[in-house]
Amino acid sequence: MVKLRLKRCGRKQRAIYRIVAIDVRSRREGRDLRKVGFYDPIKNQTYLNVPAILYFLQKGAQPTGTVHDISKKAGVFMELRLNHQTQFQ
């Protein structure tokens, strides 16, 4: 099973996080399948590769709670819903 989760980067007391698609059995710093964005909580910046996130979500990947909140704030799930509706019309 694949999850979309945060991977810690940066230095001590100055963490930034990569948003990655990773196998659930891997540890937090383990080998990821693909990098799909990053999140800087200090500067409150995010970058999301929306097509890659949509691809993994359509394939059944489960986002963690924090990644879900970040994606929801960016409107990824609205885009997923629109793509889903256009497929059936």
Side-chain angles (χ1 to χ4, degrees):
M1 181 180 195
V2 176
K3 275 201 178 248
L4 297 174
R5 70 168 110 155
L6 297 175
K7 185 175 185 178
R8 191 179 194 279
C9 300
R11 60 179 194 249
K12 194 167 42 171
Q13 300 295 319
R14 183 82 178 104
I16 62 170
Y17 297 92
R18 284 189 181 139
I19 299 170
V20 296
I22 194 167
D23 186 26
V24 293
R25 295 170 291 192
S26 297
R27 56 196 183 100
R28 181 183 73 183
E29 310 303 332
R31 186 167 159 231
D32 51 74
L33 301 173
R34 185 164 178 193
K35 296 173 186 74
V36 294
F38 81 88
Y39 170 59
D40 186 351
I42 296 170
K43 293 181 182 176
N44 202 16
Q45 292 179 333
T46 57
Y47 167 76
L48 300 175
N49 185 349
V50 177
I53 292 174
L54 291 175
Y55 170 78
F56 281 108
L57 288 174
Q58 288 171 350
K59 296 293 181 183
Q62 295 294 313
T64 59
T66 307
V67 173
H68 182 272
D69 293 342
I70 292 168
S71 301
K72 189 175 180 181
K73 206 177 280 188
V76 172
F77 294 108
M78 286 293 279
E79 198 163 325
L80 181 67
R81 189 177 305 134
L82 291 174
N83 286 349
H84 188 68
Q85 287 175 350
T86 57
Q87 284 179 344
F88 292 110
Q89 290 180 352

